[in-house]
Amino acid sequence: MNDETVKGLLRKAGLKVTNQRMMVLDIIASHPAEHLTAEEIYDLAKVNSPEIGLATIYRTVQVLLDLHVIDKVTFDDGFTRYELNGEESASGHRHHHAICTGCGKVYSLESDLLDSLEEEVMEKLGFLVTNHEVKLYGLCSECRKKNEKKEVMNREEREK
Amino acid sequence: MNDETVKGLLRKAGLKVTNQRMMVLDIIASHPAEHLTAEEIYDLAKVNSPEIGLATIYRTVQVLLDLHVIDKVTFDDGFTRYELNGEESASGHRHHHAICTGCGKVYSLESDLLDSLEEEVMEKLGFLVTNHEVKLYGLCSECRKKNEKKEVMNREEREK
DNA sequence: CTGATTGCAAATCATTTGCAGTCAA
DNA sequence: TTGACTGCAAATGATTTGCAATCAG
């Protein structure tokens, strides 16, 4: 989805194409996989437009959410984050996230392996799935290595 | 998991077994699949203990979260909700939720169909999944029926 | 022009925290 | 007895809102 497409969506919705709106969109688009918070978007926006207000960021992400241009994500750290909607994936479904409980790093996954789960829900509950959100919590390879080292150290400590 | 088990967990953690803590636990346990908010737990607690404070609810759910007796869930409505940890399911993994975008009702699912996804993440990223959270958004059978009716009405309206 | 949008500051509202009194062990 | 726990009220911090000025169409 490019700027022009979004401009079209804005107009179709009877909304105006403003510098602030396009700037927020571009900031989110140019930081893929970074899951920016409103405050982070605000700080980046201020670099080129120091007069912009934080309220504008909040109002703009709401507009972009309504247009399904972006999606909301949270990783239980008290912040709402925003990312481009993965509309490319025919299904319209969002991608998944793997969150490391060790270092907090977030990995984005593209796999769409929930089809069988969604079919099951349709059959058993008559529930039609239109979107999903998957978060995997665990340890990334780096943190697993660190943990192993720590365990070795603890063992040596104990065996003293 | 019963009261006695939790009392044991509290003692093992060097924490005290208080009426407030057991009451909050019992309220959450006796409202399965209702995904209570702190405020809702507070209102239910006040029925029998009008002097209890909301801060105690927040502090208590934090303790129960630390002990992995309960889990946190959010459905993007601005509230944090709490539910008993589905520790029964050998894997220690949480169950899934299907959230109706029509009426907001939440269905709990027990299926554990993410194994292949988790294996893939392990192979490709070296990321070890220890827990996951799955939310399916869509329309429940009731709301689908309502939508169909509405569509028929719209069509009739258009064809006038 | 003119209503939508913005920036600012003040308001909201869920959650957290300090503190003095209370209670479990 | 005594440190952990609780209730209360005040503080915090992300997000929202009212309003006058500004801007897109």
Side-chain angles (χ1 to χ4, degrees):
Chain A
M1 191 178 320
N2 54 32
D3 281 18
E4 291 312 313
T5 315
V6 177
K7 286 183 187 171
L9 287 173
L10 283 168
R11 295 196 184 101
K12 196 162 56 176
L15 300 170
K16 294 186 175 174
V17 176
T18 65
N19 290 337
Q20 291 89 331
R21 283 173 180 167
M22 297 317 288
M23 191 189 315
V24 168
L25 170 65
D26 290 342
I27 286 173
I28 296 175
S30 60
H31 291 77
E34 282 191 51
H35 310 103
L36 300 174
T37 64
E39 201 84 32
E40 286 165 347
I41 297 171
Y42 178 50
D43 288 339
L44 289 168
K46 273 192 297 189
V47 173
N48 290 312
S49 301
E51 72 293 349
I52 200 169
L54 181 54
T56 301
I57 309 293
Y58 279 106
R59 283 187 282 232
T60 302
V61 292
Q62 190 52 61
V63 167
L64 296 177
L65 285 170
D66 292 344
L67 296 176
H68 296 288
V69 171
I70 63 174
D71 273 321
K72 208 193 274 197
V73 230
T74 51
F75 300 130
D76 288 331
D77 59 356
F79 294 93
T80 302
R81 295 162 183 284
Y82 306 91
E83 64 179 15
L84 277 188
N85 179 338
E87 89 296 338
E88 308 76 19
S89 62
S91 67
H93 282 192
R94 298 158 64 178
H95 59 254
H96 314 326
H97 295 107
I99 304 132
C100 180
T101 52
C103 60
K105 216 174 288 169
V106 177
Y107 300 82
S108 293
L109 313 172
E110 287 306 335
S111 177
D112 221 333
L113 286 173
L114 292 181
D115 296 351
S116 53
L117 177 59
E118 295 181 0
E119 276 166 29
E120 193 184 322
V121 173
M122 184 59 189
E123 277 168 31
K124 295 195 180 158
L125 290 178
F127 189 101
L128 176 68
V129 176
T130 56
N131 200 350
H132 59 223
E133 186 178 341
V134 177
K135 294 186 224 167
L136 304 177
Y137 293 92
L139 288 175
C140 69
S141 56
E142 229 169 285
C143 286
R144 281 199 299 134
K145 275 178 217 148
K146 272 185 221 150
N147 271 21
E148 275 163 31
K149 263 189 227 153
K150 225 182 282 170
E151 272 164 37
V152 171
M153 284 167 59
N154 287 342
R155 198 174 314 133
E156 285 169 357
E157 189 67 27
R158 253 181 276 124
E159 287 168 357
K160 254 189 200 164
Chain B
M1 192 177 320
N2 55 33
D3 281 17
E4 292 312 312
T5 313
V6 177
K7 287 183 187 172
L9 286 174
L10 284 168
R11 294 195 186 103
K12 196 162 55 175
L15 300 170
K16 293 186 174 172
V17 175
T18 65
N19 290 336
Q20 291 90 332
R21 283 174 180 169
M22 296 318 288
M23 190 188 315
V24 169
L25 171 64
D26 290 343
I27 287 173
I28 296 174
S30 61
H31 292 76
E34 282 190 51
H35 309 102
L36 300 174
T37 63
E39 202 86 32
E40 286 165 346
I41 298 171
Y42 178 51
D43 289 339
L44 289 168
K46 273 192 298 190
V47 174
N48 289 312
S49 301
E51 72 293 349
I52 201 169
L54 181 54
T56 301
I57 309 294
Y58 279 106
R59 282 187 282 231
T60 302
V61 293
Q62 190 52 61
V63 166
L64 296 176
L65 285 169
D66 291 344
L67 296 176
H68 296 290
V69 170
I70 62 174
D71 272 321
K72 209 193 272 197
V73 229
T74 51
F75 301 129
D76 287 331
D77 58 356
F79 293 94
T80 302
R81 296 161 182 283
Y82 306 91
E83 64 179 15
L84 277 189
N85 177 340
E87 89 297 339
E88 309 74 19
S89 62
S91 68
H93 281 189
R94 297 159 63 177
H95 59 254
H96 315 325
H97 295 106
I99 303 132
C100 180
T101 51
C103 60
K105 215 174 289 170
V106 177
Y107 301 82
S108 292
L109 314 171
E110 287 306 334
S111 178
D112 220 334
L113 287 174
L114 293 181
D115 296 350
S116 53
L117 178 57
E118 296 182 0
E119 275 166 30
E120 194 183 322
V121 173
M122 184 60 189
E123 276 168 32
K124 294 195 180 158
L125 290 178
F127 190 101
L128 175 68
V129 176
T130 55
N131 200 351
H132 59 224
E133 186 178 341
V134 177
K135 295 186 222 168
L136 304 177
Y137 294 92
L139 287 175
C140 69
S141 57
E142 228 169 283
C143 286
R144 280 199 299 135
K145 276 180 215 146
K146 271 186 221 150
N147 271 21
E148 275 164 30
K149 263 189 225 152
K150 225 182 283 170
E151 272 166 37
V152 172
M153 285 166 59
N154 287 341
R155 198 175 315 129
E156 285 169 355
E157 188 67 25
R158 254 180 278 125
E159 288 168 357
K160 254 189 199 166

